[in-house]
Amino acid sequence: MLRFRASLLFAATAVLLATPRHLVGQDSTITPAPSAPRAPLDPRIERLKAEASTKVEARAKLIQEIIDQVYSYGELGMQEFETSKYLTGILEKNGFTITRNVAGMPTGWVARWGSGKPVISLGSDIDGIPQSNQAPATAFRSWQVPGAPGHGEGHNSGQAVNIAAALVVKEIMIREKMAGTLVLWPGVAEEAVAGKAHFVRAGVFKDVDVTLFTHVGNDMGVTWGQSSSLAIVSAEFRFKGSSAHAAGAPWRGKSALDAVMLMGQGWEFHREHMEPGQRSHYVIKDGGDQPNVVPSTASIWFYFRERDYQHVQDMFDAGKRIARGAAMMTETTLDTVVILGSAWAGHFSKPVAEAMQANIETVGLPKWDENDQALAKGLQRELGVAQNGLVTQVRPLQGPARSLVAFGGGSDDIGDVSWNVPTITLRYPSNIPGTPGHNWANGIAMATPIAHKGAVYGAKVQAMTLIDLFTQPKIVADAWEYFNTVQTKDTKYVSFLGPNDGPPTWLNAEIMARYRPEMRKLYYDATKYRSYLEQLGIAYPTVKPPTNPVP
C-alpha cells in the first residue's frame, strides 16, 4: 500500500513538473476572455448605479457586524442554526418574507421581497470547516476553542455582501417604483455539497430569472462558461457484519471494518487506471467500538469527482461494485449506500458575467492600508509562500476553463443551480492570497478590516449588477438565450439525487454539540463592541516579527 501510494505521488509530481506554470494554481485552468465593448448606458441607470454604490458604503457598519457575528458562530454544515436565525432576523426586520425549513433542511430558508419580473436570486454559503477555529487577525496558529470548527473557508462573509446589496436596491426600487423580486437564500452545508441540489428539487429556482452567487476570494472577479470546478457525488458506504470476542472467538465474527478497509484498498488499485482529471478521497466514519470486539458495523465516506455527470456516475458505479466485492470477501453485507451530497460542475452565464465585469472595473479594489498588508505578508511569511501581500489590480473577465482531463479541482453545488437558471459567481476580495484552503489560515482575515473592506466592495458590484438586471431586460433575455442555445443545447440537467435521497440533516450534529457550549462564550456582542477584534482584545495585526536568515 505504501509503495503504491508512493508511486502515485511520484507520477503526480512528474506531471506537475512537466506542466506549464499557467496551468498550476488557483483558477489555473481559466482562460482570460476579452470583455465585450461596453455600450453607453442610459444616464438614469448610471446615476442609480452610482447611488447604489454610495448607499452600500453607508452600510459598511452593517456589513462588518454581519461578518463578525457569523464568524463567531463558526457552525458546520446542517447545523447553521445560530447563523440562519441571525440572518433571517435581519431580513425579516427589513420587510422580507421568510420561508423556513426549505427542502427539509432545518437551516434552509428563502427570503423574498417585491413582486413581478425579473426575479433575481442572491445566494452565498454559510457553513464552516472542521477544526479550523482560529483567533482572527493573528498570523499564526492560535485556537480560540481547541479542536472546534470555524470559518476556515470564509463563508461568514458572503451573506453580508448579498444582504447589504439587497437592502440598498430594495430602497431604490421602492422610490423608483421598479417591478421585480429579490430572493435571498443560504448555501447550507456546501462543504458537504449537501444543500443546493435539494433546493433545486424543491423548486426554489422555478421562477428565478438570474442567480447572482457570491463566494469569498482574494481578488475581485467573475467567469463565464464551463468552470474549473468538478462534478461530485458524496456517498457513505455502510457495512454490516457480526460481532464476536476478537481474541476468544474471532472465527465467530464477521468484520464490517475488514470490508471497509478492503473497499479502500480496492479503490486504490482502481485509481491507477482512472483518467488524471478525477479526484477521489475518503475517510472512515465508523471503524468499530474497541479492538477486542469484532466490528459489526463500519462505514467509509467517499467523494467521487470528475468533469461531468456521466464521468462521476461511472466512478460512483465502480465504487459500488468494489463495495459489493469487499462485502463478498469478508462475508459481510453492504447494508446501505447513502448519497450525502452531490454537485454538477458549474457553467456560468456570459451575458450576466459581462455586465458584472463592467461593474467590477468601475468599482475596483479596496484601498488596503499598511496594517492590512502587514497581516497579509505576515501570514504569507508564516506559510512559507511569496510575500506579495494583497491583490491591488482587477483581473480581466475570465472565460471557460481549459481541459479538465489533465487537472482536477474543487467542487461547489452552485453548479446544480447554474444548470437550472442563468447564474454567475462573484468573487470578492476578503481573504489573503497564498492560503491552502479549508484551513485555519483561511480564517485569519475573515473578521478583520480585510474581510470588511472586501465585502463592501463586493456588495457595491452586486448592487450595481442588480440595478442592471432590473433596468435592462435585454441582459436577462440574452442570459436565457445563452442558456438555451449554448449552455444546454447538448447537455440537460439530471440530478444525482434519487427519489429517496433526502438531505443529511444529522451531519456534524455531534461535533457541534461537543464544541458549541465553549464557542457560545465567544459569540460577538455588537451592542457592546465596535468589532469582534475589540471584543477579543486582539491587536490588528498580530504577526510574528520577521526573522533574518543566519549568515
Coordinates of all heavy atoms in Angstrom, one line a residue, residues 20 35 45 134 143 169 174 180 194 205 238 345 359 413 432 451 463 474 522 528 533:
P20 N 3.0 23.5 -17.8 CA 3.3 24.9 -17.8 C 2.7 25.6 -16.6 O 1.7 25.2 -16.0 CB 2.5 25.4 -19.0 CG 2.3 24.1 -19.9 CD 2.2 23.0 -18.9
S35 N -13.3 41.4 -22.7 CA -14.6 41.9 -22.4 C -15.3 42.5 -23.6 O -14.6 43.0 -24.5 CB -14.5 43.0 -21.3 OG -13.9 42.5 -20.2
I45 N -29.7 55.1 -15.5 CA -29.1 53.9 -15.0 C -27.8 54.1 -14.3 O -27.5 53.6 -13.2 CB -29.1 52.8 -16.1 CG1 -30.4 52.5 -16.6 CG2 -28.4 51.5 -15.6 CD1 -30.4 51.5 -17.8
Q134 N -10.1 29.6 14.9 CA -8.8 30.4 14.8 C -9.1 31.8 15.3 O -10.1 32.4 15.0 CB -8.3 30.5 13.4 CG -7.2 31.5 13.1 CD -5.9 31.1 13.8 OE1 -5.6 29.9 14.0 NE2 -5.0 32.1 14.0
W143 N -5.6 28.9 18.5 CA -7.0 28.4 18.7 C -7.8 29.4 19.6 O -7.2 30.0 20.5 CB -7.0 27.1 19.4 CG -6.5 25.9 18.7 CD1 -5.2 25.4 18.7 CD2 -7.2 25.1 17.8 NE1 -5.1 24.3 17.9 CE2 -6.4 24.0 17.3 CE3 -8.6 25.1 17.3 CZ2 -6.8 23.1 16.4 CZ3 -9.0 24.0 16.5 CH2 -8.1 23.1 16.0
V169 N -30.7 48.1 -2.9 CA -31.5 48.0 -4.2 C -33.0 48.0 -3.9 O -33.8 48.7 -4.6 CB -31.1 46.8 -5.0 CG1 -32.1 46.6 -6.2 CG2 -29.7 46.9 -5.5
I174 N -38.2 50.8 -4.4 CA -39.4 51.4 -3.8 C -39.6 52.8 -4.3 O -40.7 53.2 -4.8 CB -39.4 51.4 -2.3 CG1 -39.5 49.9 -1.8 CG2 -40.5 52.2 -1.7 CD1 -39.2 49.8 -0.3
G180 N -40.1 43.9 -9.9 CA -39.1 42.9 -9.7 C -39.1 42.3 -8.3 O -39.7 42.8 -7.4
A194 N -24.2 19.4 0.1 CA -25.4 18.7 0.6 C -26.6 19.5 0.5 O -27.7 19.0 1.0 CB -25.1 18.2 2.0
F205 N -35.9 27.7 -7.4 CA -35.5 28.5 -8.5 C -36.4 28.4 -9.7 O -36.1 28.9 -10.8 CB -34.1 28.0 -9.0 CG -33.1 28.1 -7.9 CD1 -32.7 26.9 -7.2 CD2 -32.5 29.3 -7.4 CE1 -31.8 26.9 -6.1 CE2 -31.6 29.3 -6.4 CZ -31.2 28.2 -5.7
R238 N -22.1 1.8 4.0 CA -22.3 1.2 5.3 C -22.3 -0.3 5.3 O -23.1 -0.8 4.5 CB -23.5 1.8 6.0 CG -23.5 3.3 6.2 CD -24.8 3.9 6.6 NE -24.8 5.3 6.8 CZ -25.9 6.1 7.0 NH1 -27.1 5.5 7.1 NH2 -25.7 7.4 7.1
A345 N -20.7 20.2 -12.2 CA -19.7 21.3 -12.4 C -20.4 22.5 -12.9 O -21.4 22.4 -13.7 CB -18.7 20.8 -13.5
N359 N -19.1 46.4 -14.0 CA -19.2 47.0 -12.7 C -18.0 46.7 -11.8 O -17.6 47.6 -11.0 CB -20.5 46.4 -12.0 CG -21.7 46.8 -12.7 OD1 -21.8 47.9 -13.2 ND2 -22.7 45.9 -12.8
D413 N -21.7 23.1 -5.1 CA -23.0 22.7 -5.6 C -23.8 23.9 -6.2 O -25.0 23.7 -6.6 CB -23.9 22.0 -4.6 CG -23.9 22.7 -3.2 OD1 -23.2 23.7 -3.1 OD2 -24.5 22.2 -2.3
I432 N -6.8 36.5 2.0 CA -5.4 36.7 1.7 C -4.8 35.7 0.7 O -5.1 34.5 0.8 CB -4.6 36.6 3.0 CG1 -5.0 37.7 4.0 CG2 -3.0 36.6 2.7 CD1 -4.4 37.6 5.4
A451 N -11.5 41.6 5.4 CA -12.8 41.0 5.1 C -13.9 42.0 5.0 O -14.7 42.0 4.0 CB -13.2 39.9 6.1
A463 N -24.8 45.2 -6.0 CA -25.9 46.1 -6.0 C -26.0 46.7 -7.4 O -27.1 46.9 -8.0 CB -25.7 47.2 -5.0
K474 N -32.8 43.4 -21.6 CA -32.0 42.7 -22.6 C -31.0 41.8 -22.0 O -30.7 40.7 -22.5 CB -31.4 43.7 -23.6 CG -30.7 43.0 -24.8 CD -30.1 44.1 -25.7 CE -29.5 43.4 -27.0 NZ -28.5 42.3 -26.7
L522 N -17.9 32.9 23.2 CA -17.2 33.8 22.4 C -18.0 34.5 21.3 O -17.4 35.1 20.4 CB -15.9 33.1 21.8 CG -14.9 32.6 22.9 CD1 -13.8 31.8 22.2 CD2 -14.3 33.8 23.6
K528 N -22.1 45.8 22.4 CA -21.1 46.3 23.4 C -19.7 46.6 22.8 O -18.9 47.4 23.3 CB -20.8 45.2 24.4 CG -22.0 44.9 25.4 CD -21.7 43.8 26.4 CE -22.8 43.6 27.3 NZ -22.5 42.5 28.3
L533 N -12.7 42.0 16.9 CA -11.4 42.1 17.4 C -11.3 42.9 18.7 O -10.5 42.6 19.6 CB -10.5 42.8 16.3 CG -10.2 42.1 15.0 CD1 -9.3 42.9 14.2 CD2 -9.6 40.7 15.3

